[in-house]
Amino acid sequence: MEFLVISLIFLILLLLMVWRPFFKQNSQDVCLESNVRDETNVRLYQEHKKELEKDYSEGGIDEENYQYLLAELNRTLLQDIEHSSQDVNTTANISKPYSPLWPLGLSVFILIFSVALYDKQGSYKLLTELPAGHVQQQVMSQDNMQQQRENQAMAHIEKLLQHIEDKPQDSETWYNLGQTYVAVGSFDEAIAAFTQVINIEGEHADLLGAIAQALYYKNDQKINGQVQEYIDKALALDVNDPSTNILLGMHNFIGENYQQAITYWQRVIDANNQGVNIAALQEAVAESKSRLGISTSNSAANAASNTALNSSQSAHDSSGPQLKVSVSLSDDLAKQLAQGEDRVVFIYAIPTNGQRMPLAAVKMKASDLPTVIVLNNSQAMSSEHTIGSVDKVHVYAIVSMQGGVGIKSGDFKAEALGVEVNRTETLELIVNELVE
C-alpha cells in the first residue's frame, strides 16, 4: 500500500511537470521585447532631432528644410512604433495558442507505460485477484519453491558424488552427502553414506546418531529395535550427542511426553556445542513447557496426577541405589597431567548385559580429583534405563586425552566390573592404566 501511494504521488508530479509549460504562457517575454524596441526607437529619434537642431542653429540648413526634415523624423518614429505594435500582436498571436496535443500525448504515454510496468511486475494481479485466486497463487508459489529446493538438492548430490569419485576417502563429503539424502527422503542412501564415514573415521557418536535419525524417519518416526540399538551406541560414546538427544526429544514431544523432551533438549543446550541451533532448541523447550503447563491446568485431577508422579520420581531417585565411588589419580599420572592442560574425566556405570548406554554418568575435570561421587537414578540417560533397573553394573573412570566420550587409545582408565548397585561400601577407583 505504501508503494502504491508513493507511485501515485510520483506520477502526479511527473504529469504536472509535463503540463506546466501549457499553463504558463510566455506573454511576459513578448511585452518585455516590445518595451525594449519602443525605447530604442525613441532614443534614435532624440539623437536625430538633436542633429537637426544643431545643423539648423549653425546655419547648415534653412528654415524650410528644417521643418521638412523634422516632420519626416516624426513620421518615421510614428511608423516604427506602429510596426512594433503590429509585430507584438503577431508574436502574441503565435505564442499564446500553445497546443495541448503534445503534453496530452506525453501524459497518455506515461500512464500506459506505468500501468504496463505495474502489471508486468505482478503487483496488479495481487490487488485485483479474488482471495481464492490469491490463495491458489500462494500454494502454487510454495509448490514451485519446494520443487526448486528439491532440484537444488539433487544438483548438490550430483556435485558431491562427482567429488567422491575423485576423492573416495573424503569423509566430510560423505557426511554431507548423507545429510542431503536425509533432506530429500532417501534414507537408505543416507545410511549407506554415514556408514561409509564410519568405515573411514571409525565409530563416533554423531555418526551413529545420524544413522539413528535416518532409520527413525524411514520407520515412520517410530523407534524400533534397530533404531534403539544405534541410540544406545551413540549415547554410550557421548551422552550429550546433539543428533541423538534432539531425536529423542522430538520423539517424546510427538508422543506428548513433554517433560522427557525437555530433558533431552536441555542436555544439548547445556552442552552448547558448535553447529547446533541453540535458539531453536530453546524455543522448543519453551513450547514444551507451555504445553506441559496447559495440560496440568486443565483439571485438578491432572494436576494431582502429575504432582504425584513427580513426587514418586523424586522419592525413587533419593531412595534408589546410591552407589558411592571414590575416584583418584595415581601419583605418576597426577604428575604427568599437571604438566599439561586440564583433562576431562568421565565416571559412569553401564549394565553387565553388554549394552553400552550409561545408566548413570558424571563429567568433571582431572583437577577436581580426588573426589567422591554418588551414582544414582537422577543421572540416567532415560527413565527406562536407570541404575536402579539392574542388580549389577560395570563402573569406569576415564581420563579422556581427546575430550570425547568413550574409551579410546591413549586414554587412562580405572574400572570395576560386576559391582552390586546396592552396596553400601564406597567403591575406590584409582586411574592409572593406559588404554592401548
Side-chain angles (χ1 to χ4, degrees), residues 401-414:
M401 303 304 290
Q402 299 178 2
V405 179
I407 304 176
K408 304 179 183 63
S409 177
D411 294 343
F412 292 89
K413 73 173 183 177

Side-chain angles (χ1 to χ4, degrees), residues 187-199:
F187 303 119
D188 289 334
E189 291 81 358
I191 294 170
F194 293 137
T195 302
Q196 184 62 29
V197 180
I198 292 177
N199 294 335

Side-chain angles (χ1 to χ4, degrees), residues 37 76 78-89:
R37 186 179 299 179
T76 301
L78 180 61
Q79 290 178 351
D80 290 339
I81 293 175
E82 289 177 354
H83 287 312
S84 176
S85 177
Q86 293 177 358
D87 292 341
V88 169
N89 292 333

Side-chain angles (χ1 to χ4, degrees), residues 60 64 95 239 275:
E64 183 179 358
S95 60
V239 66

